[in-house]
Amino acid sequence: QVQFVESGGGLVQPGGSLRLSCAASGSILSILITGWYRQAPGKQRELVATITNGGSTNYAGSVKGRFTISSDNAKNTVYLQMNSLKPEDTAVYYCNTYLPRVQWGQGTQVTVSS
C-alpha cells in the first residue's frame, strides 16, 4: 500500500514562488507515474503535472512554463516548483499515482493573494 504526504503550501503574493513536496512510503516500486493534482474551491480536482519513474514529465497547459515537477528517488519524494504564481493557482494540492489509485492524502493549501 502506497501513502503520500504533501507539504510546503502557504500564502504567497501573485508572482511569487513555492516548492511543494510529496513524500511517498509503502510499495513505492509499484509506482510508474506520479502526479500532482489540485482542487480549487467549487471545482473538480485536476491534474497539474506528472513524472514517470524514468524522469519524463508532462504539464497541464495552465501551468506549463511556470511549474516544474521533479523527483529525488533516494528520498522517495516528488517536488513541484511553482513560479510566477497567479490567484487562479489557489487550491489544495495533492499527489497521487497516475491514474489515481491511492487514497487521497490531506493535501497542502496554496493561496495566492495580495
Side-chain angles (χ1 to χ4, degrees), residues 38-101:
R38 67 185 181 186
Q39 187 167 21
K43 294 188 177 181
Q44 288 191 332
R45 190 171 286 155
E46 64 174 349
L47 179 65
V48 173
T50 61
I51 186 166
T52 70
N53 56 8
S56 297
T57 60
N58 271 294
Y59 299 91
S62 59
V63 307
K64 192 172 292 185
R66 300 188 297 122
F67 290 10
T68 302
I69 188 170
S70 62
S71 63
D72 184 333
N73 293 334
K75 296 182 178 180
N76 299 328
T77 301
V78 174
Y79 302 98
L80 186 68
Q81 177 67 45
M82 305 186 297
N83 298 328
S84 302
L85 282 161
K86 305 175 181 180
E88 51 263 43
D89 295 317
T90 295
V92 179
Y93 285 71
Y94 304 86
C95 55
N96 207 314
T97 56
Y98 178 79
L99 295 165
R101 55 179 173 83

